[in-house]
Amino acid sequence: MSNNFSEDPAEPASKSTAEITVRVVVLGLVLSVVMGAANVYVGLKAGMTVSASIPAAVMAMLLFRLFFKNSTILEANQVQTCASAGESLAAGIIFTMPAMILVGYWTEFDYWTVTLVAFTGGLLGILFMIPMRKVFVVDNDELKYPEGVACAAVLHAGASDEEDGAGTSLIVGGVLGGVVKVLGGFLGLISGSLETAGIASSRIFYFGGDLSPMLIAVGFIVRLNVAILVFIGGVMAWLIGIPLLGGALTGEGADSAVDQAYGIWSSQLRYVGVGAMVVGGFSALNAVRHGLVAAIAHLWHGMTGDQDGMQKDTERDIPAWAIVTLGVLCILLLAMMNYWFTHNAGITLLSTIIMLVMGFFFTAVASYIVGLVGNSNSPVSGMTITAVLVAGALLYLANYTGMDGMVATLGIAAVVCCVACTSGDVCNDLKTGSLVGASPFRQQMMQIAGVSVAALVMAPVLTLLHEHGGGIGSKELSAPQAGLFASLAKGFAGEGELPWKMIGIGAGLGFVILLIDEALKRSEAKFRAHLMPIAVGMYLPFGLATPILIGGLIAWFYSKGKPEKEHDAVLHRGVLFSSGVIAGEALTAVGIAGLAAIGIQSLNLGLSTGIVTGLSCLVAVLIVIAFVVMSKPLPKNTP
């Protein structure tokens, strides 16, 4: 099908190429809402989200090919930039805002508070990232931005008509993910997990796994190295830590072995992961210290007029005066929100300062890590845990405790998390834009538009899932990060006891893992022991790690024997199919919750037993695996 996706993929698009049009704005905003809603569910269930940039780019190209014959590569890039803003904002919100429910401050999500946190946090993430663009994206050869480069390759492939089957892979994956969710979440024909535990000599031995195609798809996208690390973290906590701690109860009235295993993990072992993440967060801060100084200098030069006023379109950012003006607006809104939470001027001042300082620091950390390992692998949870601990400690030292202290701590965490998520996504998209010849200024404007619209739908989607999707904190929507942040906030506010011994063990373990990873780096080993994925595996339910490992193994077998430089091309269709599975299941879950809200409840056909539902889900998983394996790779000449 001929269209104007015909620019030379090796050259930037010309100045006359259309970039922001009415269709770009409309489609970008719609996809921002869709991607945001989908990732709210994914994050609450899986404890992690995946980048929406590549699926959004393919979806934009597919729709443009169907309806607009004169579309351009830069239009598709701008749609992808706007759409990915919804996904990144969702990650920031779902990791933190549900904690307000879990600590008892809310019984339901407050629309305006969630919207304000999402908008200000997302906007600050964009504003903080702009003066760092040259430092981290343009003038840094160390940072490869694997997902940003892969997304540019997808756009170039679409420009040269090499992407004809990509839309099909995305759609088939979406349909399959949606069908599996309907069979399980609406008709009750598919079980969500298989798990077992036994007690021997007062020791609990547990094993299990979620039977979710979506989690297998997540594993395929993050690849084998990260999947193995998440699984190793799960093994350390669940298969080694739980038996070592012991303490199993038997006899009448004792919980099942599975419930006891979850209790030990929830109250003790996941805090080992917290300690490891704190070490990882400070390690990342140390790694980007020079970039922070350079970014501050760049912003200062922009404010004092030292920059060239006649910049090329492909070099121009939002001007420094606009950054400062919007930043002041965000500060005022944050101060208002903090006072609204606590009605205490002292907490308001301290909380606002902590938000801004930590948000700026973690913008640099997120940008650096996304440049190294990609947006899907960015350890935002670890950064937010560090923010919770620092904020909680400072508020505690200032004698702010009780509910006010908890709410202030969680408010800081929410904003910092949104900043980190959005800034990482921005620099990833700016890298893609630089490779296809897009205007950074226009990309930044589309990011702001995407954040502004996606912020409006976060609270309604959260409310739907909480009231009609199983509830926050349930096994269906475990919200592991939010549960952890709630526990940390309670501990600092004097409402609970934190297992400092476990946090200390985790910190020590984190140092050991950093040393191991440094040794692997020096030996130029292909396998790395990145700290954050291991720590994530410790504080996620073990059932999530098993299917993620399966997905990583599929990706490895899929690309086995191929040169490493060809892996992105070989895995590309599988990634698109996997992205479709994730989006299909997530959007269907939101739709089922929406039906429940208007009185159309899930149906129980009375045809299922435990064995039947387990086997049904196993069949569904095998079908997903088969589709991934059969996904056709891109031609060898893909850039």
Side-chain angles (χ1 to χ4, degrees):
M1 184 182 295
S2 74
N3 54 38
N4 202 28
F5 276 116
S6 57
E7 290 84 356
D8 182 351
E11 298 291 336
S14 66
K15 288 184 178 180
S16 61
T17 304
E19 194 163 354
I20 292 186
T21 58
V22 173
R23 64 194 179 203
V24 166
V25 174
V26 172
L27 182 56
L29 294 179
V30 169
L31 289 182
S32 177
V33 170
V34 170
M35 295 296 183
N39 272 282
V40 167
Y41 172 78
V42 176
L44 291 176
K45 180 176 176 63
M48 60 179 69
T49 59
V50 294
S51 175
S53 291
I54 291 177
V58 172
M59 202 173 297
M61 290 189 295
L62 178 66
L63 292 173
F64 282 158
R65 284 179 181 233
L66 289 175
F67 300 108
F68 303 103
K69 302 297 179 62
N70 62 340
S71 54
T72 71
I73 187 173
L74 295 186
E75 285 183 301
N77 172 244
Q78 293 293 349
V79 170
Q80 162 253 314
T81 299
C82 185
S84 63
E87 170 266 326
S88 61
L89 197 63
I93 288 297
I94 55 94
F95 288 170
T96 52
M97 283 286 96
M100 294 291 200
I101 299 282
L102 299 176
V103 300
Y105 182 73
W106 287 341
T107 56
E108 59 186 17
F109 289 99
D110 181 82
Y111 177 82
W112 289 110
T113 301
V114 174
T115 302
L116 187 61
V117 168
F119 174 72
T120 53
L123 183 56
L124 279 175
I126 298 169
L127 298 177
F128 283 154
M129 179 58 217
I130 292 171
M132 300 184 191
R133 182 180 72 86
K134 288 187 179 295
V135 176
F136 287 110
V137 178
V138 178
D139 300 329
N140 196 318
D141 295 331
E142 178 191 2
L143 302 180
K144 304 302 182 184
Y145 290 95
E147 290 184 13
V149 172
C151 189
V154 169
L155 290 167
H156 282 317
S160 55
D161 288 330
E162 293 176 357
E163 198 70 6
D164 291 335
T168 302
S169 297
L170 194 67
I171 292 170
V172 171
V175 171
L176 186 57
V179 168
V180 171
K181 188 60 185 177
V182 168
L183 293 176
F186 192 71
L187 300 178
L189 296 177
I190 292 179
S191 173
S193 63
L194 291 176
E195 55 188 6
T196 185
I199 299 175
S201 302
S202 297
R203 308 285 180 179
I204 301 176
F205 298 89
Y206 168 93
F207 193 81
D210 277 34
L211 297 176
S212 170
M214 180 185 76
L215 294 173
I216 294 175
V218 168
F220 189 97
I221 291 173
V222 301
R223 311 279 180 88
L224 184 59
N225 193 334
V226 172
I228 288 177
L229 295 178
V230 172
F231 187 77
I232 288 173
V235 167
M236 293 169 67
W238 288 83
L239 306 190
I240 298 174
I242 289 177
L244 284 178
L245 285 180
L249 301 176
T250 58
E252 187 176 348
D255 292 334
S256 70
V258 170
D259 290 337
Q260 290 188 58
Y262 271 92
I264 294 171
W265 164 77
S266 178
S267 62
Q268 298 289 325
L269 285 168
R270 64 175 175 167
Y271 290 94
V272 177
V274 172
M277 283 191 173
V278 172
V279 171
F282 283 108
S283 173
L285 273 174
N286 179 64
V288 300
R289 63 190 185 280
H290 299 302
L292 277 171
V293 174
I296 294 171
H298 181 72
L299 181 60
W300 175 255
H301 292 326
M303 286 299 297
T304 56
D306 293 342
Q307 289 182 312
D308 183 4
M310 300 297 292
Q311 291 177 309
K312 296 179 182 178
D313 200 39
T314 54
E315 298 176 358
R316 184 166 61 102
D317 292 308
I318 291 176
W321 66 264
I323 295 174
V324 173
T325 302
L326 291 174
V328 170
L329 172 63
C330 287
I331 292 171
L332 294 175
L333 290 174
L334 288 176
M336 181 183 72
M337 179 194 73
N338 286 325
Y339 189 78
W340 186 6
F341 275 156
T342 63
H343 301 287
N344 184 307
I347 295 182
T348 296
L349 178 62
L350 181 57
S351 298
T352 305
I353 292 173
I354 295 172
M355 284 177 178
L356 293 172
V357 173
M358 297 199 73
F360 182 74
F361 275 96
F362 283 120
T363 293
V365 174
S367 302
Y368 180 79
I369 294 177
V370 166
L372 282 179
V373 298
N375 205 29
S376 296
N377 302 327
S378 181
V380 174
S381 300
M383 303 179 210
T384 310
I385 285 174
T386 305
V388 169
L389 292 175
V390 172
L394 290 174
L395 289 168
Y396 179 79
L397 291 174
N399 203 30
Y400 296 126
T401 57
M403 184 59 76
D404 284 350
M406 282 192 289
V407 170
T409 300
L410 292 174
I412 292 169
V415 172
V416 170
C417 194
C418 287
V419 169
C421 290
T422 307
S423 59
D425 175 72
V426 168
C427 66
N428 192 64
D429 288 339
L430 288 173
K431 182 64 176 181
T432 300
S434 70
L435 294 173
V436 300
S439 162
F441 172 82
R442 295 189 181 99
Q443 283 190 285
Q444 291 153 12
M445 294 302 296
M446 289 298 288
Q447 279 276 357
I448 291 174
V451 161
S452 301
V453 173
L456 301 175
V457 302
M458 294 292 107
V461 175
L462 281 168
T463 299
L464 271 179
L465 292 173
H466 178 52
E467 295 180 354
H468 306 286
I472 301 298
S474 68
K475 207 161 189 179
E476 177 64 22
L477 299 173
S478 59
Q481 284 90 346
L484 185 57
F485 299 153
S487 299
L488 292 173
K490 285 181 179 179
F492 278 112
E495 300 293 321
E497 290 292 330
L498 289 175
W500 289 108
K501 180 180 178 181
M502 291 296 168
I503 294 175
I505 291 172
L509 188 60
F511 280 112
V512 172
I513 294 171
L514 285 177
L515 292 175
I516 293 172
D517 186 51
E518 182 63 25
L520 290 172
K521 180 181 178 181
R522 289 177 182 274
S523 66
E524 299 183 352
K526 290 184 178 180
F527 183 85
R528 294 288 301 277
H530 300 297
L531 173 56
M532 286 302 186
I534 296 176
V536 166
M538 291 181 194
Y539 85 82
L540 289 179
F542 185 70
L544 304 182
T546 308
I548 288 173
L549 177 63
I550 293 172
L553 287 169
I554 295 170
W556 180 75
F557 280 112
Y558 197 61
S559 59
K560 184 180 178 182
K562 304 292 191 304
E564 189 172 350
K565 63 181 181 180
E566 295 182 12
H567 282 192
D568 284 339
V570 171
L571 293 172
H572 175 63
R573 294 290 169 82
V575 168
L576 289 174
F577 174 80
S578 299
S579 299
V581 171
I582 294 168
E585 178 174 336
L587 292 174
T588 302
V590 174
I592 291 173
L595 290 176
I598 60 175
I600 303 176
Q601 300 296 327
S602 300
L603 302 177
N604 188 341
L605 301 181
L607 302 176
S608 61
T609 65
I611 295 176
V612 171
T613 54
L615 290 176
S616 299
C617 196
L618 186 59
V619 170
V621 167
L622 291 174
I623 291 173
V624 171
I625 292 173
F627 267 98
V628 171
V629 172
M630 290 188 298
S631 293
K632 189 176 180 182
L634 281 176
K636 291 184 179 179
N637 63 345
T638 300

